[in-house]
Amino acid sequence: MSSASTSAAAANMVGHGEMRAALAGYGVVLASVASALVNLPIIHRNAKNPSVSRRLAILTVVLSVVGLACLVLEQRYWPLSI
């Protein structure tokens, strides 16, 4: 399942009240991290320029950490009643 379809499924479940928004957010971030862990080695192996795959890996880690931090901060400081 791609991260786009994971996001769509999570949004659909939140919209129907089957899942809390924060839980859906965690699921989407974790699906994206899992996808990156699978795809980055493939990209690195097939890249003509290793610095591109290195930058992509760094950006993926940074965005994953920022995404998780935002979700944790949102739960801590702005909890939703849903």
Side-chain angles (χ1 to χ4, degrees), residues 15-78:
H16 286 97
E18 298 173 6
M19 182 184 295
R20 291 183 313 125
L23 182 60
Y26 283 113
V28 170
V29 170
L30 291 175
S32 296
V33 170
S35 175
L37 290 174
V38 169
N39 291 319
L40 283 175
I42 296 168
I43 292 169
H44 182 69
R45 201 173 324 124
N46 295 319
K48 303 257 190 256
N49 186 351
S51 67
V52 172
S53 61
R54 205 172 310 119
R55 288 181 185 170
L56 184 60
I58 291 169
L59 286 172
T60 301
V61 169
V62 169
L63 289 175
S64 298
V65 168
V66 169
L68 286 172
C70 288
L71 288 171
V72 168
L73 290 174
E74 185 266 334
Q75 281 296 340
R76 175 77 172 109
Y77 295 107
W78 303 283

